[in-house]
Amino acid sequence: YKTLKLILGDQLNLQHSWFVEPDPTALYLMMEVKTETDYVWHHIQKICAFFAAMESFENTLSNRGFETLYLNLDHPNNKQSISGNVLECIEKYNIEEFQYQLPDEYRVDQELRNLCAQLKIASKCFDSEHFYTDRDELTQFFSGKKELIMESFYRAMRVKHQILINHDQDPEGEKWNFDAENRKKLPKNHKPNPPLLFDNNVSKQHGRIVANNIKTIGNIKPEYFQWPINRNQSIQLLQYFCENCLQLFGTFQDAMHTDEWSLYHSRLSFCMNTKLISPSEVINTALNYWENNKKSVAINQVEGFIRQILGWREYMRGVYWMQMPEFEKLNYFDHKTKLPDWYWTGHTKMNCLKHAISQSLNLAYAHHIQRLMITGNFALLAGIDPDDVDFWYLGIYIDAIQWVEITNTRGMSQYADGGIVGTKPYTASANYIHKMSNYCEGCRYDRNEKIGENSCPFNSLYWNFHDRHRAKLQHNPRLSMVYRIWDKMEPELKASVLLRANDCLENLNQL
Ligand code: FAD
Ligand code: SF4
């Protein structure tokens, strides 16, 4: 072979120009390596999904006449690191040029840059042809501006890509944002459509992971694996979403319920993050469906969905490349507390956390509001070290890849970046959780109380958080109301609230 083309586990993009037709002089290399399985404790379903999707991708390529080499965990020649395997192949096959696609993770990007710097042969990097934006497009967009406001970036993307923009170059439906119509609680007796689950068998991949003693978390039934693991299934999931979920996506985007785990969410994040499908395919399919079904799908639903992908997803990627590697270390509030043990088991008396965590352990999935306003909110109020919080989020979800995990966790959810991603910390007491879910109904704690041992821990911790970080937060105009209410509270009540919060903080593992 003349060329070695590396395909990373999250670069399963059959639409990429590399795969238009086989290059007979190239060897296409894919690998399962311990440096990738071991940098965090991944959910067992996550590793199985990645490996199964990678194997299926390699199969498709080789059926189409591409010369592939797939080094699985058990392969005798596997050096168990990306660089190790690339070096070995270059030597073994007398390769003249090494090629790779831009990695999405800083860690892998550095590794490949360092590797190329050492190589005696030529190397070449290609775009991954997946995102709407280039890596540094956001940096350029915000250059000279003080704040990175997602909404302004999103609007510019709408115009640039002519998405939901009418002939006069105004937003479709006369508004950029329909949030005010969205975000309702699930009404009693409302039954969302069931999620589309696949019947995949990942026993082979599971066996390899177990045999190699990879430390994992969470549960799995390998012979009945529900996540999509190839392009066909990803397209089916997208189609199913348009026909069954899009019509109420925006309305119930923030709703949570003990009996429903997916509600009207698309669960497409794994397919997109591995590049089995592209964001533009997802957006165009949803747009197309909306255009043909305007009677059943209102604009607020489709706009809400598109904003997540064209807005948030591209924005987070841009912030990542703008802020790394410093971002990884940010800890604005200097939080140091260890993550409570029950994040790994779900064994807590707090019903909302019990549900969100057990669901995550069972399904490798929680939707955005469960991540942000239940597990993330608690970690922030309790002052958990953002390193611990990142470690948990980076492992537990099927879609967790650092570029989109850390920006959401350290940035949006923990405000450890001091306000790069969000304009204020996302905190809430039981009031909000009760407003958006039925969690409080079955809880041992009283959502209406903020003092005493039966009171909901979120309530006292909420005030404790704002009180202890007053110097850093009180001048934020979006928090002036919070401090007004706190300042008006009777001193004895305040003291009791802080006492209860201290009690919670000292006994986090017992809550
Ligand atoms: P839907 O609700 O159907 O939304 C559609 C798509 O929009 C998603 O598939 C996703 O690609 C995109 N999207 C929505 N919100 C965001 C967002 N805030 N940032 C980037 N893209 C978004 N997403 C990940 O893909 N990987 C992660 O590791 C990850 N970690 C998160 C950690 C925390 C603390 C929080 C608050 C959010 C995190 N998110 C992450 C964002 C979001 O929660 C998930 O993308 C979403 O829940 C995936 O489920 P879905 O495909 O059903 O999404
Ligand atoms: Fe969660 Fe508090 Fe509601 Fe219990 S009462 S479910 S701990 S918010």
Side-chain angles (χ1 to χ4, degrees):
Y1 304 107
K2 265 176 73 176
T3 320
L4 181 68
K5 289 181 188 262
L6 172 69
I7 305 165
L8 296 170
D10 64 350
Q11 296 180 335
L12 311 181
N13 177 5
L14 268 183
Q15 315 293 95
H16 193 277
S17 49
W18 272 13
F19 308 119
V20 175
E21 57 182 30
D23 172 353
T25 67
L27 178 66
Y28 297 80
L29 173 66
M30 299 180 74
M31 63 183 85
E32 302 171 356
V33 285
K34 294 217 171 132
T35 46
E36 296 304 301
T37 54
D38 292 0
Y39 66 81
V40 74
W41 301 339
H42 298 283
H43 198 296
I44 180 68
Q45 293 189 31
K46 178 185 173 189
I47 314 187
C48 284
F50 267 88
F51 286 2
M54 287 160 64
E55 277 192 278
S56 153
F57 187 83
E58 187 261 345
N59 225 331
T60 309
L61 287 188
S62 106
N63 287 338
R64 291 185 184 178
F66 291 79
E67 279 294 327
T68 57
L69 174 63
Y70 190 96
L71 298 173
N72 74 23
L73 276 185
D74 291 335
H75 198 289
N77 295 344
N78 195 335
K79 297 275 173 251
Q80 302 297 348
S81 80
I82 299 175
S83 313
N85 285 330
V86 169
L87 285 170
E88 168 98 349
C89 283
I90 290 177
E91 171 118 0
K92 185 163 173 197
Y93 298 103
N94 262 325
I95 298 290
E96 292 166 23
E97 182 167 287
F98 169 59
Q99 301 185 350
Y100 67 103
Q101 298 174 22
L102 269 183
D104 288 333
E105 281 171 293
Y106 187 85
R107 179 178 54 82
V108 181
D109 194 61
Q110 289 298 106
E111 180 177 347
L112 291 177
R113 275 168 196 260
N114 291 340
L115 173 69
C116 291
Q118 292 170 30
L119 291 180
K120 295 194 182 72
I121 60 167
S123 57
K124 195 166 169 189
C125 182
F126 291 73
D127 195 85
S128 64
E129 301 175 14
H130 172 81
F131 292 97
Y132 277 96
T133 46
D134 291 333
R135 255 191 199 175
D136 63 350
E137 192 165 334
L138 178 130
T139 309
Q140 287 161 17
F141 180 81
F142 287 112
S143 94
K145 305 205 177 83
K146 259 213 217 114
E147 287 176 302
L148 314 179
I149 307 289
M150 197 297 282
E151 189 68 25
S152 63
F153 172 77
Y154 165 60
R155 291 181 189 184
M157 288 299 113
R158 289 263 299 269
V159 175
K160 176 170 176 192
H161 298 282
Q162 291 290 296
I163 292 170
L164 290 176
I165 296 293
N166 68 21
H167 294 306
D168 301 326
Q169 297 303 300
D170 290 325
E172 198 72 65
E174 293 167 25
K175 276 199 284 189
W176 291 100
N177 183 319
F178 293 85
D179 263 359
E181 291 160 43
N182 290 350
R183 313 192 157 171
K184 305 231 168 15
K185 185 174 183 159
L186 208 65
K188 278 220 158 61
N189 303 322
H190 176 105
K191 194 79 197 144
N193 291 319
L196 172 65
L197 305 179
F198 295 94
D199 193 4
N200 290 313
N201 189 334
V202 294
S203 305
K204 248 184 0 180
Q205 291 79 6
H206 182 250
R208 277 206 298 279
I209 296 163
V210 173
N212 280 279
N213 291 320
I214 309 287
K215 162 111 179 120
T216 61
I217 55 167
N219 308 314
I220 188 167
K221 288 193 199 110
E223 61 293 344
Y224 171 64
F225 189 69
Q226 57 157 60
W227 289 99
I229 52 169
N230 56 43
R231 180 161 166 82
N232 232 338
Q233 292 181 345
S234 307
I235 292 169
Q236 276 178 50
L237 188 60
L238 171 59
Q239 203 56 40
Y240 185 88
F241 168 76
C242 291
E243 287 165 13
N244 298 283
C245 306
L246 185 58
Q247 76 262 25
L248 286 171
F249 175 85
T251 309
F252 296 123
Q253 204 177 336
D254 290 5
M256 297 172 283
H257 196 281
T258 44
D259 300 337
E260 308 293 338
W261 62 278
S262 62
L263 295 124
Y264 290 92
H265 293 277
S266 70
R267 297 183 301 113
L268 284 165
S269 48
F270 173 75
C271 310
M272 273 193 279
N273 293 355
T274 46
K275 306 188 180 59
L276 289 168
I277 46 173
S278 71
S280 61
E281 283 178 287
V282 174
I283 287 182
N284 291 338
T285 308
L287 268 179
N288 216 349
Y289 189 85
W290 167 70
E291 268 158 13
N292 292 316
N293 296 278
K294 286 194 181 167
K295 279 205 186 103
S296 54
V297 181
I299 183 145
N300 61 310
Q301 317 292 352
V302 73
E303 188 282 316
F305 182 65
I306 287 173
R307 176 148 28 96
Q308 306 311 314
I309 299 170
L310 183 66
W312 281 110
R313 190 168 184 270
E314 298 286 329
Y315 172 84
M316 291 308 204
R317 173 166 185 263
V319 169
Y320 182 75
W321 286 106
M322 183 183 200
Q323 301 291 333
M324 280 297 280
E326 294 77 16
F327 201 82
E328 236 177 352
K329 302 261 164 348
L330 299 179
N331 188 354
Y332 182 65
F333 295 122
D334 205 16
H335 281 166
K336 295 258 168 54
T337 305
K338 288 279 136 230
L339 195 71
D341 296 342
W342 40 259
Y343 268 80
W344 302 103
T345 61
H347 297 157
T348 162
K349 297 188 276 289
M350 293 180 281
N351 207 32
C352 50
L353 282 153
K354 184 170 104 188
H355 263 272
I357 294 170
S358 308
Q359 177 194 314
S360 305
L361 290 168
N362 288 329
L363 300 163
Y365 178 87
H367 70 70
H368 188 67
I369 293 302
Q370 292 178 304
R371 299 185 200 195
L372 185 65
M373 300 312 290
I374 305 292
T375 40
N377 179 20
F378 187 86
L380 176 59
L381 296 182
I384 309 299
D385 187 330
D387 286 351
D388 277 21
V389 187
D390 266 329
F391 189 84
W392 189 80
Y393 279 100
L394 189 54
I396 199 161
Y397 293 117
I398 192 92
D399 52 35
I401 305 185
Q402 196 196 35
W403 66 271
V404 57
E405 176 280 321
I406 200 169
T407 41
N408 271 295
T409 301
R410 213 167 262 260
M412 182 187 272
S413 154
Q414 300 302 296
Y415 203 78
D417 61 357
I420 297 170
V421 168
T423 49
K424 77 171 187 60
Y426 280 93
T427 55
S429 61
N431 211 359
Y432 172 85
I433 295 172
H434 174 63
K435 200 173 111 205
M436 294 316 301
S437 77
N438 70 340
Y439 288 144
C440 302
E441 286 165 26
C443 188
R444 175 231 180 273
Y445 294 105
D446 188 338
R447 69 179 168 86
N448 292 313
E449 293 294 335
K450 37 185 174 293
I451 56 175
E453 61 176 31
N454 287 329
S455 67
C456 168
F458 280 89
N459 293 344
S460 51
L461 290 176
Y462 175 87
W463 290 115
N464 170 285
F465 169 84
H466 289 97
D467 186 56
R468 73 180 190 264
H469 293 306
R470 186 166 196 137
K472 286 185 169 143
L473 296 175
Q474 70 175 344
H475 299 299
N476 183 327
R478 295 192 64 200
L479 292 175
S480 52
M481 179 82 137
V482 172
Y483 284 103
R484 261 206 309 280
I485 297 172
W486 179 235
D487 290 341
K488 275 195 193 143
M489 221 181 268
E490 291 294 327
E492 296 92 87
L493 180 57
K494 275 166 98 166
S496 306
V497 170
L498 294 180
L499 204 67
R500 167 63 175 149
N502 268 338
D503 189 38
C504 292
L505 289 173
E506 277 166 19
N507 298 287
L508 282 177
N509 277 322
Q510 277 71 52
L511 289 176

